Amino acid sequence: MNEVEEVKARLDIVDVISQYVTLQKAGRSFKAPCPFHNERTPSFIVTPERQSWHCFGACGTGGDVITFVMKKEAIEFSEALKMLAERVGVKLQGRREFSQEQRRRERLLAANEAAGDWFGELLVNDKAGAQAREYLERRQIDSAAAKDFGLGYSPAAWDGLRNHLRGIGFEDEELLRVGLLLQGDSGLHDRFRGRLMFPIRDERGRTAGFGARSLENRDASGAKYINTAQSPVFDKSGLLYALHRAVGGIRREGRAVIVEGYMDVIAAHQHGFDNVVASMGTALTERQVRLLRRTTNQIVLALDADAAGRDAAIRGHEVVRGALSDSRSTMPLVTWRGLAGYQQTIDVELKVAILPDGRDPDDVIRASPKEWRTLVDGAVPVLDFRLDALAGSHDLSTPAGRSRLAHEFLPILSVVTDPVVRAQYLQRLGRLTATGERELSAMLVSATARPGASKRAAATKEAVSGRGDNREEFLLALLLRYPALREDALGVREELLWNSENRALLAAWKGTAEAIEGTSHIEGVKNAVPVELWPHLERLTLRKMPEFDAKQAREAFADCVQRLVRRGLEAEKQATGAVFAEREAEVGASVLAEAASGEKMESDKQLLEVLRLQAQDMRTGLKLHGREEYDGSESVQTGNHG
Ligand SMILES: [Zn+2]
């Protein structure tokens, strides 16, 4: 339970609201004239079971105890939370704990920054850096490019960096944590020694870690390239080398190019191809593709000539070049099917550019920038590339060869759900295999019906069919995961959500600019909400979600909104129903009383009121009924209680 939940758990909404409004018991609920608008007939209902309140009159809104206090006192979320927390004696720690953790992270980033400066200084001025300077010269990296990319040199001594950073106030514990030091048999020592250093920056340009190339043939660890180990500020699967420098170029060119190595990126940028980034010897991860997707949906993979013959589309250059023999078996790979899957789930267009045999992008660009441009311009869609490669590897003059082609390509195509795209490739495959599209279609269906698919469908159903707050949270998790839903979601009223945390997050999400340069929209939301909501935001961000493509995400979103609208209508019906039943009982009694006293006028008024409520109930019923026949496409605009 986080702090907000704890505060709410210790409060009774009836107690709190009773301070402001005189509540009358009405069945399992309480009612009162609405404190937010002028009325004589109570349409303000408090439901202790759900710890919620609603005004079914002019306000047409409701919420939990925090939203009530916010509205009544006209204060912000965190102020209301503070007020209520004091009332029940909950100490709000989140802000302090967070800022401590934040400070620790800042320290680690600062240590990296200082290390980078020191390495850079040694590269330029130190005698020992001569070897690195010669290497750069040989690779045609001039001092301007070296400076732009913050290249550096780590001396071969065991404690040079450690002494320097301790001298300017960093602790061993911090340096160990950020991966600049290693714990060896004889104590702590520098991790990077005698190497050319490549600072690896995050998308905001902060030094998250380092890549390092050996300047000897091999050092003790036997690796040509090593990099910072996973740390609180370094996660290779969520970083792309030079992304912060490439964002402008990617936007201008309308596409990003992914290469494998640091040297390839530097060569590209030196020659004006500043839309090039590197995956740094990892498989291309979904997170990396999503990072690029913020700026472009056109991604070109520059792959080596062997790629065509491999089942795995991409693997780290460390594996390709055999430098890290021990990681060969553990290096994650991206299969062609995986790439096709990215296209689908992240809504990007992936193309493949194949490098001439045995040459790196570095070689190609330096030999002929024009050739590089031609290569990238000529990149082919990943599905075409794979189909061509498979077709080329089988003897299509034999039935067996044609069958193999179909059986190898269909599983890749099965990831694609767009019927137009599917049809196009089925046609091509049909021509290549001399098989009817109908037969191939049938094969495709059986290739699609794999265990994972039904599991995902079940997960979707489970996630969507959740009740109450779970549904609200699903909606928010969707929006956080799929920023492309923005247009659909801007029309959703915050009042559709009853939980104050969720409502505050939705408001912040709607108010956050689509993509602030260099930051994720989640960070934008984070900056826009009180720190007390950060644990909640984090939980929603990490929530396990089915993988949706763009269309599925929109459908799930529309469905979820529709269910929330219906929930509101049902609650309204329930509440008015309860009030109506009570009225009827009152009227019954008053008719008797009237017979005794002859006060006819008053009872007429009451009968009129009963009729009004009856009519309202009927309208609600009609609305509910009508909604059930809705196809959901318009439900976004009807995000209110009627
Ligand atoms: Zn009201």
Side-chain angles (χ1 to χ4, degrees):
M1 195 166 11
N2 65 42
E3 290 176 339
V4 183
E5 287 162 346
E6 195 183 341
V7 169
K8 282 162 77 172
R10 291 205 195 177
L11 285 166
D12 182 14
I13 193 167
V14 177
D15 288 347
V16 175
I17 294 183
S18 293
Q19 286 194 315
Y20 301 89
V21 188
T22 308
L23 292 172
Q24 264 183 283
K25 190 124 179 70
R28 284 189 296 181
S29 303
F30 293 83
K31 61 175 183 175
C34 177
F36 304 119
H37 80 275
N38 237 331
E39 65 175 5
R40 286 187 53 201
T41 311
S43 51
F44 179 82
I45 309 285
V46 179
T47 314
E49 263 170 42
R50 282 200 302 256
Q51 288 289 303
S52 69
W53 62 272
H54 283 90
C55 167
F56 297 110
C59 303
T61 184
D64 60 18
V65 65
I66 298 176
T67 56
F68 180 85
V69 172
M70 283 168 69
K71 204 166 158 70
K72 194 67 202 150
E73 302 279 347
I75 52 179
E76 295 294 316
F77 178 90
S78 45
E79 223 178 316
L81 177 67
K82 211 173 120 204
M83 210 173 112
L84 292 169
E86 273 167 20
R87 184 183 161 129
V88 290
V90 171
K91 281 213 170 67
L92 298 174
Q93 303 282 352
R95 189 176 294 267
R96 219 182 57 217
E97 267 168 32
F98 169 78
S99 55
Q100 272 169 4
E101 177 55 30
Q102 185 72 355
R103 263 201 304 279
R104 279 196 288 269
R105 282 177 58 93
E106 297 294 340
R107 288 279 297 172
L108 299 186
L109 289 166
N112 275 341
E113 205 66 49
D117 288 347
W118 190 68
F119 293 143
E121 182 71 17
L122 291 178
L123 177 67
V124 179
N125 295 324
D126 198 83
K127 224 172 97 190
Q131 204 183 0
R133 291 194 290 275
E134 280 159 27
Y135 175 79
L136 289 178
E137 202 171 310
R138 215 162 48 239
R139 299 296 299 260
Q140 300 174 43
I141 293 177
D142 56 27
S143 57
K147 194 157 176 280
D148 282 349
F149 283 86
L151 303 190
Y153 170 72
S154 57
W158 292 86
D159 55 3
L161 180 69
R162 183 181 175 206
N163 289 339
H164 170 69
L165 291 180
R166 280 164 57 105
I168 56 173
F170 289 98
E171 308 283 339
D172 280 342
E173 185 267 333
E174 293 172 320
L175 303 179
L176 202 56
R177 204 161 160 238
V178 78
L180 288 168
L181 295 186
L182 280 182
Q183 181 72 57
D185 293 336
S186 51
L188 292 170
H189 63 82
D190 291 359
R191 163 130 176 79
F192 302 106
R193 296 179 304 104
R195 287 173 177 272
L196 179 63
M197 302 300 296
F198 301 85
I200 299 168
R201 301 179 190 278
D202 64 16
E203 71 271 23
R204 290 163 67 177
R206 301 173 303 189
T207 307
F210 293 91
R213 189 194 189 283
S214 171
L215 291 165
E216 314 295 333
N217 286 335
R218 284 291 150 88
D219 77 351
S221 68
K224 190 155 85 175
Y225 281 95
I226 59 174
N227 55 251
T228 302
Q230 180 99 7
S231 86
V233 294
F234 186 79
D235 177 1
K236 204 155 72 157
S237 68
L239 293 162
L240 284 162
Y241 183 62
L243 177 61
H244 75 289
R245 295 186 57 84
V247 168
I250 292 169
R251 185 166 293 136
R252 192 190 62 244
E253 296 285 320
R255 71 180 165 209
V257 181
I258 301 179
V259 296
E260 285 181 348
Y262 311 116
M263 296 304 246
D264 299 325
V265 169
I266 296 173
H269 284 242
Q270 267 185 299
H271 287 82
F273 302 116
D274 56 355
N275 61 336
V276 176
V277 297
S279 57
M280 300 184 297
T282 63
L284 186 64
T285 65
E286 187 173 325
R287 275 176 68 196
Q288 290 171 325
V289 178
R290 285 190 193 280
L291 277 175
L292 291 174
R293 182 64 184 81
R294 292 180 198 157
T295 314
T296 184
N297 67 349
Q298 299 288 320
I299 298 174
V300 175
L301 302 162
L303 300 181
D304 61 78
D306 301 338
R310 287 198 306 255
D311 287 337
I314 299 176
R315 40 187 186 175
H317 64 275
E318 287 147 347
V319 172
V320 175
R321 292 169 193 168
L324 273 180
S325 50
D326 57 330
S327 67
R328 195 183 291 269
S329 56
T330 55
M331 184 65 74
L333 305 174
V334 185
T335 61
W336 296 100
R337 193 154 178 271
L339 286 180
Y342 288 163
Q343 295 206 118
Q344 194 74 25
T345 54
I346 311 177
D347 187 27
V348 289
E349 198 177 324
L350 286 169
K351 290 184 173 175
V352 175
I354 291 295
L355 294 157
D357 202 7
R359 292 167 73 197
D360 292 330
D362 185 17
D363 307 328
V364 174
I365 292 166
R366 291 191 190 285
S368 163
K370 203 171 147 231
E371 186 185 355
W372 173 255
R373 181 162 288 282
T374 310
L375 255 176
V376 172
D377 285 344
V380 293
V382 63
L383 284 170
D384 292 272
F385 175 77
R386 190 56 183 156
L387 182 54
D388 291 343
L390 286 173
S393 68
H394 295 300
D395 179 1
L396 298 185
S397 67
T398 68
R402 294 197 293 271
S403 170
R404 251 177 249 128
L405 169 61
H407 279 103
E408 285 172 18
F409 185 69
L410 285 172
I412 300 170
L413 187 58
S414 72
V415 182
V416 177
T417 52
D418 186 326
V420 179
V421 178
R422 269 189 178 211
Q424 185 196 326
Y425 287 101
L426 282 177
Q427 268 172 23
R428 279 199 64 197
L429 188 62
R431 283 196 297 273
L432 287 165
T433 58
T435 309
E437 279 167 50
R438 194 178 301 168
E439 283 76 22
L440 290 175
S441 230
M443 284 171 73
L444 184 60
V445 169
S446 62
T448 311
R450 55 190 198 282
S454 62
K455 224 166 94 185
R456 197 192 65 182
T460 307
K461 206 170 157 213
E462 195 183 321
V464 175
S465 69
R467 306 222 132 261
D469 286 4
N470 188 27
R471 191 170 294 146
E472 294 187 0
E473 289 181 7
F474 179 79
L475 183 82
L476 286 168
L478 258 181
L479 297 183
L480 291 167
R481 187 75 51 90
Y482 301 97
L485 292 171
R486 171 161 296 272
E487 263 173 50
D488 305 60
L490 285 177
V492 176
R493 292 206 320 160
E494 283 120 51
E495 282 83 2
L496 194 61
L497 307 184
W498 295 350
N499 174 287
S500 55
E501 296 102 294
N502 293 337
R503 191 181 289 184
L505 285 185
L506 178 61
W509 186 89
K510 283 164 75 173
T512 307
E514 194 152 358
I516 301 163
E517 177 101 358
T519 64
S520 80
H521 77 289
I522 290 174
E523 245 174 292
V525 174
K526 200 169 168 183
N527 291 333
V529 297
V531 289
E532 289 84 3
L533 286 176
W534 288 4
H536 188 58
L537 174 63
E538 186 177 347
R539 193 159 61 79
L540 292 178
T541 313
L542 297 175
R543 186 186 161 119
K544 248 192 143 26
M545 297 279 286
E547 280 299 338
F548 289 129
D549 60 37
K551 187 161 158 278
Q552 289 168 327
R554 288 191 68 176
E555 283 166 2
F557 170 78
D559 181 64
C560 196
V561 169
Q562 193 187 345
R563 283 163 192 272
L564 287 169
V565 168
R566 193 181 301 165
R567 177 185 72 168
L569 292 170
E570 268 161 12
E572 183 180 354
K573 185 163 185 277
Q574 230 175 39
T576 50
V579 173
F580 172 71
E582 202 176 273
R583 288 268 143 168
E584 205 174 33
E586 278 172 19
V587 169
S590 70
V591 169
L592 291 176
E594 174 215 350
S597 69
E599 278 181 281
K600 192 143 177 20
M601 283 301 288
E602 185 59 24
S603 81
D604 275 355
K605 253 193 218 160
Q606 284 186 325
L607 279 170
L608 277 174
E609 179 63 20
V610 168
L611 286 173
R612 190 186 72 79
L613 281 166
Q614 241 170 347
Q616 190 180 334
D617 193 39
M618 209 170 76
R619 277 200 308 275
T620 307
L622 282 175
K623 268 190 290 186
L624 273 175
H625 184 69
R627 203 71 61 194
E628 263 148 26
E629 286 162 9
Y630 245 43
D631 62 4
S633 58
E634 282 174 63
S635 57
V636 175
Q637 278 78 42
T638 58
N640 56 55
H641 298 291

